[in-house]
Amino acid sequence: MDSKGINHYLEAAGRSAEWHRDHIQRMKKCRFDTIAVHGVYSMQEALDFNQGSIIEPVYMSTSQAYRDSDEMEAALGYQIPTWCYSRIANPTIYYFEGVMALLETYGSDVDASCIATSSGMAAIQTAVDPFLLPYPENPSRPINFVATTKIYGGTFQQFAVRKDQERLIEWRKVVDSNDINEWEKLIDKNTRFLYGEMPSNPGQAFFDLERVIELGHKHNIPVIIDSTVATPALMRPLAMGADIVVQSVSKTLMTSGFGIGGAVIARKNLTSNVDNPEMKADFCMYAKQLPNRDNGPNLSPMNAILALNDIRTLRSRIDLQSCSTMTVAKFLAQHKHVEKVEYLGLESHPLHKVASKYLWLVDSEHDEQYGKKVNRYGHLMSFNVKGGAQAARDVFDAMQRIWRATDLGRIKSVATIPAISTHSQQGEEGRKLAEIPPNLIRLCVGAEHPDDIIADLEQALSVLDGKKIISTSPEFSAGGASSATLKR
Ligand SMILES: *Cc1c(COP(=O)(O)O)cnc(C)c1O
């Protein structure tokens, strides 16, 4: 076979890249739901390469073959678009990353890219680590980052133990994140990024993001936001100027609960005081080609298709679940055994006003049903049971429809007690910082009819009246007598 020469591949790659760019521009003009359904997968691609498959194909292959040594050389030198090896990239993951970048920049002219990761925690590590390199001329000069304390328990551990304790990178803690002065007084020349989660899990902390972004950029520091609870259907921090968004895809995005995954979505040409032009130009491409190639936290293609599938209905699901959560929150707020309900959607919530500035159901103004912008506050809420830790456990143990699990964002309603689950590792002191009392129950309302969720909560709370509950646990699992399970 005659060698085609490396230029042949570079030219073909150029044409292909141009076609994909144009296609993405065409998709950018569509509405949110259309993007969520189609993403960057096109009919042309289906017919030319994928047997006409209307659903994105799943490429389970570990690696990609090349036509000849020229193509291989160009590919492995990152001179042509390639996926090489599924630790680095993969076509199914490409479709997932494409839709995430489009959804997180929806309604704006922000140019962003995405890198998928094996979990939300891997996404956070991917997002923060490139900013935490020592000063090359003085490796012992201390560095720090400024982050809120009301964050997911895993993030708390990653910051407190993996960064602060093990790597001596100081975590400067913002306790009241809606107080901009608290952020400001912690920043100095050695601050590498500002980090916040909003709404936070489970505390629903919220802050005036635009002011934090303004502050970060004034100091040439990037702003990283964990937007897992809001999802791009309710809030898109990149459009407001944030540099990086991280998502735990395991949650609302992949609502079916079939797998763990994460995503980092970063604007091109982001702000940073770290001298690394390649990283700043296209953060996700950089992470994909270098640190994550070497560290290896890539998503599995199977999980990418499962996530893609659930993302198609994201907007309508969030709307439904937000409305049901509001109904449930109002029910709980007037219940005699409930001390306090935390839901950003309730006007009584101290952060209701600031949350209402940021949390909008995307495209509601283009929706028959609404015809105007409407606020939606998501499916995460929590409530404190009167009578302390034991009372909360009694109510929790009596739930019959709502699942007891450390999970959120599911199509099914799920509850947990954060103090003994998601936030157990960080100890009493850490929980105080994160404001996690032992009688707090976190509830994530699913897509069931809210009447049935309320009925379950009503009967669960009634245990505090001294009423007996009737156990419905069968002696054996539905799988048959051979799979006898222990009676709870
Ligand atoms: C669950 C969660 C994470 C971690 O994601 P995993 O996919 O479980 O690794 C990060 N942030 C928030 C807000 C979460 O809820």
Side-chain angles (χ1 to χ4, degrees):
M1 197 174 92
D2 283 346
S3 166
K4 290 191 168 86
I6 202 159
N7 280 335
H8 164 81
Y9 292 110
L10 296 182
E11 278 162 31
R15 283 192 301 276
S16 159
E18 195 183 319
W19 186 88
H20 282 277
R21 261 198 311 274
D22 287 349
H23 178 63
I24 288 169
Q25 287 313 312
R26 279 193 294 278
M27 285 314 296
K28 240 178 162 8
K29 298 199 179 90
C30 295
R31 294 262 186 252
F32 191 91
D33 281 342
T34 311
I35 295 169
V37 168
H38 290 267
V40 297
Y41 185 59
S42 63
M43 209 182 301
Q44 188 168 346
E45 212 177 330
L47 295 170
D48 289 351
F49 301 112
N50 292 313
Q51 313 276 336
S53 169
I54 69 168
I55 301 298
E56 297 84 344
V58 188
Y59 288 92
M60 296 296 279
S61 177
T62 47
S63 50
Q64 175 186 16
Y66 297 106
R67 292 172 180 84
D68 57 24
S69 58
D70 288 330
E71 189 183 15
M72 181 181 266
E73 189 180 5
L76 272 71
Y78 292 141
Q79 290 176 286
I80 59 174
T82 186
W83 60 276
C84 281
Y85 185 57
S86 288
R87 168 156 48 75
I88 304 166
N90 172 283
T92 311
I93 296 171
Y94 170 84
Y95 300 130
F96 168 74
E97 292 169 339
V99 76
M100 288 303 297
L102 282 174
L103 294 179
E104 287 288 357
T105 56
Y106 180 72
S108 76
D109 54 9
V110 174
D111 189 12
S113 54
C114 168
I115 177 169
T117 56
S118 57
S119 69
M121 292 321 303
I124 293 165
Q125 189 180 12
T126 298
V128 305
D129 270 8
F131 299 110
L132 297 179
L133 303 178
Y135 289 98
E137 73 285 3
N138 182 4
S140 58
R141 181 170 155 189
I143 60 175
N144 70 72
F145 60 95
V146 171
T148 60
T149 50
K150 293 188 192 90
I151 48 179
Y152 175 68
T155 314
F156 196 101
Q157 291 304 103
Q158 188 180 119
F159 287 176
V161 182
R162 305 305 147 209
K163 310 290 188 241
D164 195 301
Q165 208 171 302
E166 290 184 351
R167 288 169 60 189
L168 309 178
I169 299 164
E170 187 191 356
W171 171 12
R172 296 192 172 169
K173 298 184 179 73
V174 180
V175 179
D176 179 2
S177 59
N178 201 32
D179 177 1
I180 192 77
N181 297 322
E182 228 190 279
W183 292 83
E184 181 142 38
K185 67 175 196 259
L186 296 174
I187 297 173
D188 67 16
K189 282 202 301 294
N190 301 323
T191 302
R192 293 297 180 78
F193 63 81
L194 309 184
Y195 184 101
E197 185 178 309
M198 61 188 263
S200 71
N201 166 15
Q204 297 172 85
F206 210 92
F207 49 87
D208 201 339
L209 180 58
E210 282 172 351
R211 297 189 68 189
V212 172
I213 292 167
E214 200 182 309
L215 179 67
H217 290 178
K218 189 173 93 186
H219 292 271
N220 201 25
I221 300 169
V223 176
I224 303 172
I225 299 296
D226 183 336
S227 190
T228 299
V229 173
T231 83
L234 297 184
M235 184 177 77
R236 292 168 301 288
L238 296 182
M240 291 163 220
D243 297 275
I244 300 182
V245 164
V246 293
Q247 286 285 351
S248 167
V249 177
S250 327
K251 308 291 169 51
T252 312
L253 293 170
M254 197 162 13
T255 190
S256 54
F258 281 154
I260 301 292
V264 177
I265 307 93
R267 67 168 56 242
K268 308 261 178 85
N269 301 310
L270 54 69
T271 300
S272 170
N273 51 13
V274 174
D275 182 24
N276 184 345
E278 210 183 341
M279 181 265 279
K280 288 193 270 195
D282 187 345
F283 184 89
C284 294
M285 182 61 82
Y286 166 81
K288 185 181 279 292
Q289 293 187 339
L290 297 165
N292 282 24
R293 175 197 67 185
D294 302 339
N295 292 325
N298 210 358
L299 186 69
S300 121
M302 194 65 209
N303 284 2
I305 193 74
L306 293 169
L308 275 168
N309 225 25
D310 284 352
I311 287 169
R312 300 188 215 280
T313 52
L314 177 65
R315 195 187 79 98
S316 45
R317 242 191 310 119
I318 287 278
D319 187 22
L320 172 71
Q321 284 171 277
S322 298
C323 292
S324 298
T325 309
M326 185 71 106
T327 308
V328 172
K330 284 181 177 159
F331 161 77
L332 286 170
Q334 51 75 48
H335 199 282
K336 64 179 178 190
H337 293 312
V338 174
E339 184 180 281
K340 188 166 93 175
V341 175
E342 295 254 15
Y343 184 51
L344 288 169
L346 294 177
E347 274 169 36
S348 59
H349 196 291
L351 297 168
H352 176 74
K353 230 175 117 187
V354 60
S356 302
K357 180 177 166 189
Y358 290 101
L359 297 175
W360 299 96
L361 177 66
V362 67
D363 277 348
S364 56
E365 67 273 33
H366 306 296
D367 190 312
E368 267 302 305
Q369 191 186 350
Y370 301 118
K372 63 175 193 325
K373 284 185 75 165
V374 297
N375 284 116
R376 287 290 177 266
Y377 301 90
H379 53 62
L380 174 73
M381 60 166 294
S382 58
F383 61 102
N384 301 43
V385 178
K386 273 185 199 160
Q390 190 54 48
R393 287 173 91 123
D394 290 344
V395 170
F396 185 69
D397 291 347
M399 290 174 180
Q400 295 185 11
R401 170 108 32 232
I402 300 164
W403 298 83
R404 284 173 288 275
T406 58
D407 207 353
L408 68 90
R410 289 297 145 253
I411 196 81
K412 300 181 178 186
S413 293
V414 174
T416 190
I417 299 180
I420 57 165
S421 58
T422 51
H423 291 69
S424 65
Q425 305 148 343
Q426 66 202 57
E428 197 75 47
E429 197 60 30
R431 280 195 293 278
K432 214 174 257 160
L433 278 176
E435 287 182 9
I436 313 284
N439 65 333
L440 178 88
I441 295 181
R442 181 184 80 187
L443 174 63
C444 280
V445 178
E448 305 94 339
H449 196 287
D451 287 354
D452 294 318
I453 297 311
I454 287 172
D456 192 32
L457 287 166
E458 186 137 51
Q459 68 77 27
L461 284 158
S462 75
V463 296
L464 301 179
D465 296 333
K467 280 184 200 155
K468 267 227 142 52
I469 53 151
I470 304 147
S471 169
T472 53
S473 299
E475 195 75 40
F476 299 103
S477 78
S482 62
S483 59
T485 52
L486 278 181
K487 191 165 173 176
R488 209 171 44 83

